[in-house]
Amino acid sequence: MKEMNLSLVFMPTAIALMMGAALLAQPPAGMHNPGQRVENMLTKTLSLNATQQGQVHTTLADAQVQSQAIHDQLKPLRTSLIAAIKANDSAQIESLNQQISPLQQQLDVIRSKAAAQIYAALSPDQQTKVGNAIGMLMGGGFGPGMRHGGPPKQ
């Protein structure tokens, strides 16, 4: 009887803990889309106006569409690369990297062009705030100095 009472007390607690863990495992609203994450970060960091937000959204959406086929090609190559690394297969590692490199280069070009379009949409003050931390326009973070009070000193 006492064991049954204890299980009735602990069962709701266990269920609540499991539900809480499941909720914490979920990404924040809108964060499942990397483009949305970048858009939100740029809007907050650079105080984008509505027109700029629309331009950033369109630019990032276009870049995502352009990148999708390349990502689809890269996925099996990267899976094979992991297997080659685990197998210590130097010839396969070299071959796969030769296949991956031009695809990665295409992604870099797409990201760089998107960053250029976003940068062009910024005001001079916002461009100054970005400074040399162009990586933030591509979702790569703030770069040196941005986390601690502003862009790098020029």
Side-chain angles (χ1 to χ4, degrees), residues 81-109:
L81 180 60
I82 290 169
I85 291 168
K86 289 179 178 180
N88 194 22
D89 186 343
S90 296
Q92 187 68 1
I93 291 170
E94 190 167 326
S95 172
L96 288 164
N97 274 299
Q98 288 175 357
Q99 295 172 61
I100 290 170
S101 290
L103 295 171
Q104 189 61 51
Q105 182 180 16
Q106 290 174 37
L107 288 176
D108 291 345
V109 168

mmCIF file of all heavy atoms in Angstrom, residues 81-109:
data_model
loop_
_atom_site.group_PDB
_atom_site.id
_atom_site.type_symbol
_atom_site.label_atom_id
_atom_site.label_comp_id
_atom_site.label_asym_id
_atom_site.label_seq_id
_atom_site.Cartn_x
_atom_site.Cartn_y
_atom_site.Cartn_z
ATOM 1 N N LEU A 81 33.015 10.605 -46.162
ATOM 2 C CA LEU A 81 34.273 11.103 -45.616
ATOM 3 C C LEU A 81 34.456 10.646 -44.173
ATOM 4 O O LEU A 81 35.550 10.235 -43.783
ATOM 5 C CB LEU A 81 34.328 12.629 -45.707
ATOM 6 C CG LEU A 81 35.589 13.293 -45.160
ATOM 7 C CD1 LEU A 81 36.831 12.809 -45.898
ATOM 8 C CD2 LEU A 81 35.472 14.807 -45.245
ATOM 9 N N ILE A 82 33.398 10.695 -43.397
ATOM 10 C CA ILE A 82 33.477 10.222 -42.009
ATOM 11 C C ILE A 82 33.863 8.743 -41.985
ATOM 12 O O ILE A 82 34.722 8.326 -41.210
ATOM 13 C CB ILE A 82 32.149 10.474 -41.268
ATOM 14 C CG1 ILE A 82 31.964 11.978 -41.051
ATOM 15 C CG2 ILE A 82 32.103 9.727 -39.936
ATOM 16 C CD1 ILE A 82 30.590 12.372 -40.566
ATOM 17 N N ALA A 83 33.244 7.957 -42.860
ATOM 18 C CA ALA A 83 33.572 6.530 -42.922
ATOM 19 C C ALA A 83 35.032 6.330 -43.340
ATOM 20 O O ALA A 83 35.729 5.463 -42.788
ATOM 21 C CB ALA A 83 32.638 5.816 -43.896
ATOM 22 N N ALA A 84 35.515 7.115 -44.281
ATOM 23 C CA ALA A 84 36.903 7.004 -44.735
ATOM 24 C C ALA A 84 37.875 7.387 -43.618
ATOM 25 O O ALA A 84 38.928 6.754 -43.467
ATOM 26 C CB ALA A 84 37.125 7.881 -45.966
ATOM 27 N N ILE A 85 37.519 8.402 -42.850
ATOM 28 C CA ILE A 85 38.367 8.806 -41.722
ATOM 29 C C ILE A 85 38.433 7.683 -40.694
ATOM 30 O O ILE A 85 39.512 7.324 -40.216
ATOM 31 C CB ILE A 85 37.845 10.113 -41.093
ATOM 32 C CG1 ILE A 85 38.048 11.283 -42.064
ATOM 33 C CG2 ILE A 85 38.514 10.383 -39.737
ATOM 34 C CD1 ILE A 85 37.321 12.562 -41.675
ATOM 35 N N LYS A 86 37.281 7.119 -40.364
ATOM 36 C CA LYS A 86 37.242 6.026 -39.386
ATOM 37 C C LYS A 86 38.007 4.806 -39.875
ATOM 38 O O LYS A 86 38.584 4.069 -39.075
ATOM 39 C CB LYS A 86 35.790 5.660 -39.071
ATOM 40 C CG LYS A 86 35.085 6.716 -38.247
ATOM 41 C CD LYS A 86 33.643 6.320 -37.977
ATOM 42 C CE LYS A 86 32.942 7.347 -37.109
ATOM 43 N NZ LYS A 86 31.536 6.963 -36.847
ATOM 44 N N ALA A 87 38.024 4.597 -41.204
ATOM 45 C CA ALA A 87 38.728 3.454 -41.785
ATOM 46 C C ALA A 87 40.205 3.763 -42.056
ATOM 47 O O ALA A 87 40.941 2.899 -42.519
ATOM 48 C CB ALA A 87 38.048 3.026 -43.086
ATOM 49 N N ASN A 88 40.605 5.005 -41.796
ATOM 50 C CA ASN A 88 41.979 5.442 -42.068
ATOM 51 C C ASN A 88 42.347 5.185 -43.531
ATOM 52 O O ASN A 88 43.441 4.746 -43.853
ATOM 53 C CB ASN A 88 42.974 4.760 -41.116
ATOM 54 C CG ASN A 88 44.333 5.426 -41.122
ATOM 55 O OD1 ASN A 88 44.464 6.587 -41.488
ATOM 56 N ND2 ASN A 88 45.350 4.681 -40.723
ATOM 57 N N ASP A 89 41.412 5.493 -44.415
ATOM 58 C CA ASP A 89 41.582 5.279 -45.859
ATOM 59 C C ASP A 89 42.035 6.584 -46.512
ATOM 60 O O ASP A 89 41.223 7.389 -46.968
ATOM 61 C CB ASP A 89 40.260 4.789 -46.455
ATOM 62 C CG ASP A 89 40.356 4.408 -47.918
ATOM 63 O OD1 ASP A 89 41.333 4.813 -48.588
ATOM 64 O OD2 ASP A 89 39.440 3.707 -48.394
ATOM 65 N N SER A 90 43.338 6.793 -46.549
ATOM 66 C CA SER A 90 43.905 8.053 -47.041
ATOM 67 C C SER A 90 43.502 8.357 -48.472
ATOM 68 O O SER A 90 43.208 9.511 -48.806
ATOM 69 C CB SER A 90 45.427 8.024 -46.930
ATOM 70 O OG SER A 90 45.814 7.939 -45.585
ATOM 71 N N ALA A 91 43.504 7.368 -49.333
ATOM 72 C CA ALA A 91 43.156 7.595 -50.741
ATOM 73 C C ALA A 91 41.706 8.060 -50.866
ATOM 74 O O ALA A 91 41.405 8.989 -51.628
ATOM 75 C CB ALA A 91 43.392 6.329 -51.557
ATOM 76 N N GLN A 92 40.807 7.440 -50.117
ATOM 77 C CA GLN A 92 39.388 7.820 -50.147
ATOM 78 C C GLN A 92 39.190 9.208 -49.540
ATOM 79 O O GLN A 92 38.379 9.998 -50.045
ATOM 80 C CB GLN A 92 38.534 6.767 -49.423
ATOM 81 C CG GLN A 92 37.055 6.974 -49.534
ATOM 82 C CD GLN A 92 36.513 6.759 -50.943
ATOM 83 O OE1 GLN A 92 37.225 6.435 -51.896
ATOM 84 N NE2 GLN A 92 35.224 6.964 -51.087
ATOM 85 N N ILE A 93 39.920 9.505 -48.480
ATOM 86 C CA ILE A 93 39.835 10.832 -47.856
ATOM 87 C C ILE A 93 40.224 11.892 -48.876
ATOM 88 O O ILE A 93 39.538 12.907 -49.028
ATOM 89 C CB ILE A 93 40.725 10.915 -46.599
ATOM 90 C CG1 ILE A 93 40.143 10.037 -45.492
ATOM 91 C CG2 ILE A 93 40.896 12.358 -46.137
ATOM 92 C CD1 ILE A 93 41.062 9.847 -44.295
ATOM 93 N N GLU A 94 41.320 11.668 -49.587
ATOM 94 C CA GLU A 94 41.772 12.637 -50.584
ATOM 95 C C GLU A 94 40.757 12.771 -51.719
ATOM 96 O O GLU A 94 40.418 13.876 -52.130
ATOM 97 C CB GLU A 94 43.130 12.211 -51.141
ATOM 98 C CG GLU A 94 43.769 13.283 -51.983
ATOM 99 C CD GLU A 94 45.228 12.988 -52.275
ATOM 100 O OE1 GLU A 94 45.917 12.415 -51.420
ATOM 101 O OE2 GLU A 94 45.651 13.352 -53.378
ATOM 102 N N SER A 95 40.242 11.657 -52.198
ATOM 103 C CA SER A 95 39.271 11.673 -53.287
ATOM 104 C C SER A 95 37.994 12.419 -52.890
ATOM 105 O O SER A 95 37.482 13.248 -53.656
ATOM 106 C CB SER A 95 38.936 10.238 -53.701
ATOM 107 O OG SER A 95 37.877 10.217 -54.628
ATOM 108 N N LEU A 96 37.493 12.129 -51.712
ATOM 109 C CA LEU A 96 36.262 12.778 -51.250
ATOM 110 C C LEU A 96 36.473 14.271 -51.036
ATOM 111 O O LEU A 96 35.607 15.079 -51.386
ATOM 112 C CB LEU A 96 35.752 12.107 -49.977
ATOM 113 C CG LEU A 96 35.157 10.720 -50.192
ATOM 114 C CD1 LEU A 96 35.044 9.960 -48.882
ATOM 115 C CD2 LEU A 96 33.810 10.817 -50.881
ATOM 116 N N ASN A 97 37.622 14.657 -50.485
ATOM 117 C CA ASN A 97 37.886 16.081 -50.300
ATOM 118 C C ASN A 97 38.003 16.811 -51.625
ATOM 119 O O ASN A 97 37.605 17.968 -51.735
ATOM 120 C CB ASN A 97 39.134 16.295 -49.434
ATOM 121 C CG ASN A 97 38.793 16.283 -47.968
ATOM 122 O OD1 ASN A 97 38.026 17.114 -47.505
ATOM 123 N ND2 ASN A 97 39.336 15.328 -47.245
ATOM 124 N N GLN A 98 38.504 16.142 -52.644
ATOM 125 C CA GLN A 98 38.562 16.749 -53.976
ATOM 126 C C GLN A 98 37.163 16.951 -54.547
ATOM 127 O O GLN A 98 36.931 17.890 -55.312
ATOM 128 C CB GLN A 98 39.415 15.903 -54.915
ATOM 129 C CG GLN A 98 40.892 15.987 -54.592
ATOM 130 C CD GLN A 98 41.745 15.056 -55.438
ATOM 131 O OE1 GLN A 98 41.244 14.286 -56.254
ATOM 132 N NE2 GLN A 98 43.055 15.128 -55.239
ATOM 133 N N GLN A 99 36.227 16.097 -54.171
ATOM 134 C CA GLN A 99 34.837 16.260 -54.606
ATOM 135 C C GLN A 99 34.107 17.318 -53.767
ATOM 136 O O GLN A 99 33.259 18.054 -54.283
ATOM 137 C CB GLN A 99 34.090 14.929 -54.496
ATOM 138 C CG GLN A 99 34.610 13.844 -55.430
ATOM 139 C CD GLN A 99 33.951 12.514 -55.131
ATOM 140 O OE1 GLN A 99 32.729 12.399 -55.248
ATOM 141 N NE2 GLN A 99 34.734 11.522 -54.732
ATOM 142 N N ILE A 100 34.425 17.379 -52.492
ATOM 143 C CA ILE A 100 33.756 18.307 -51.573
ATOM 144 C C ILE A 100 34.208 19.741 -51.816
ATOM 145 O O ILE A 100 33.397 20.679 -51.779
ATOM 146 C CB ILE A 100 34.005 17.885 -50.104
ATOM 147 C CG1 ILE A 100 33.242 16.591 -49.813
ATOM 148 C CG2 ILE A 100 33.618 18.994 -49.131
ATOM 149 C CD1 ILE A 100 33.594 15.949 -48.472
ATOM 150 N N SER A 101 35.484 19.942 -52.077
ATOM 151 C CA SER A 101 36.045 21.298 -52.182
ATOM 152 C C SER A 101 35.326 22.200 -53.176
ATOM 153 O O SER A 101 34.981 23.337 -52.824
ATOM 154 C CB SER A 101 37.536 21.231 -52.495
ATOM 155 O OG SER A 101 38.233 20.747 -51.383
ATOM 156 N N PRO A 102 35.072 21.776 -54.425
ATOM 157 C CA PRO A 102 34.386 22.699 -55.339
ATOM 158 C C PRO A 102 32.942 22.998 -54.911
ATOM 159 O O PRO A 102 32.443 24.106 -55.134
ATOM 160 C CB PRO A 102 34.424 22.004 -56.693
ATOM 161 C CG PRO A 102 34.877 20.619 -56.446
ATOM 162 C CD PRO A 102 35.505 20.570 -55.090
ATOM 163 N N LEU A 103 32.296 22.041 -54.265
ATOM 164 C CA LEU A 103 30.927 22.276 -53.789
ATOM 165 C C LEU A 103 30.949 23.277 -52.636
ATOM 166 O O LEU A 103 30.112 24.189 -52.565
ATOM 167 C CB LEU A 103 30.274 20.963 -53.355
ATOM 168 C CG LEU A 103 30.052 19.944 -54.476
ATOM 169 C CD1 LEU A 103 29.606 18.610 -53.906
ATOM 170 C CD2 LEU A 103 29.061 20.466 -55.500
ATOM 171 N N GLN A 104 31.915 23.113 -51.740
ATOM 172 C CA GLN A 104 32.048 24.048 -50.624
ATOM 173 C C GLN A 104 32.377 25.436 -51.146
ATOM 174 O O GLN A 104 31.868 26.436 -50.636
ATOM 175 C CB GLN A 104 33.143 23.566 -49.658
ATOM 176 C CG GLN A 104 33.195 24.367 -48.385
ATOM 177 C CD GLN A 104 31.903 24.297 -47.599
ATOM 178 O OE1 GLN A 104 31.378 23.224 -47.330
ATOM 179 N NE2 GLN A 104 31.367 25.450 -47.235
ATOM 180 N N GLN A 105 33.191 25.509 -52.185
ATOM 181 C CA GLN A 105 33.535 26.796 -52.789
ATOM 182 C C GLN A 105 32.280 27.473 -53.350
ATOM 183 O O GLN A 105 32.097 28.681 -53.195
ATOM 184 C CB GLN A 105 34.574 26.613 -53.885
ATOM 185 C CG GLN A 105 35.015 27.914 -54.515
ATOM 186 C CD GLN A 105 36.048 27.705 -55.616
ATOM 187 O OE1 GLN A 105 36.236 26.603 -56.121
ATOM 188 N NE2 GLN A 105 36.719 28.778 -55.990
ATOM 189 N N GLN A 106 31.398 26.699 -53.977
ATOM 190 C CA GLN A 106 30.150 27.263 -54.498
ATOM 191 C C GLN A 106 29.304 27.837 -53.366
ATOM 192 O O GLN A 106 28.700 28.911 -53.508
ATOM 193 C CB GLN A 106 29.359 26.199 -55.261
ATOM 194 C CG GLN A 106 29.993 25.780 -56.572
ATOM 195 C CD GLN A 106 29.236 24.621 -57.212
ATOM 196 O OE1 GLN A 106 28.014 24.563 -57.146
ATOM 197 N NE2 GLN A 106 29.962 23.705 -57.830
ATOM 198 N N LEU A 107 29.253 27.123 -52.229
ATOM 199 C CA LEU A 107 28.504 27.631 -51.072
ATOM 200 C C LEU A 107 29.125 28.925 -50.552
ATOM 201 O O LEU A 107 28.407 29.864 -50.190
ATOM 202 C CB LEU A 107 28.464 26.590 -49.950
ATOM 203 C CG LEU A 107 27.579 25.382 -50.176
ATOM 204 C CD1 LEU A 107 27.722 24.397 -49.017
ATOM 205 C CD2 LEU A 107 26.126 25.786 -50.369
ATOM 206 N N ASP A 108 30.446 28.978 -50.528
ATOM 207 C CA ASP A 108 31.124 30.193 -50.069
ATOM 208 C C ASP A 108 30.790 31.380 -50.971
ATOM 209 O O ASP A 108 30.589 32.500 -50.486
ATOM 210 C CB ASP A 108 32.635 29.977 -50.019
ATOM 211 C CG ASP A 108 33.060 29.010 -48.919
ATOM 212 O OD1 ASP A 108 32.245 28.726 -48.009
ATOM 213 O OD2 ASP A 108 34.209 28.526 -48.974
ATOM 214 N N VAL A 109 30.723 31.142 -52.273
ATOM 215 C CA VAL A 109 30.386 32.215 -53.216
ATOM 216 C C VAL A 109 28.950 32.695 -52.984
ATOM 217 O O VAL A 109 28.687 33.902 -52.943
ATOM 218 C CB VAL A 109 30.596 31.759 -54.680
ATOM 219 C CG1 VAL A 109 29.989 32.742 -55.669
ATOM 220 C CG2 VAL A 109 32.077 31.546 -54.963
#
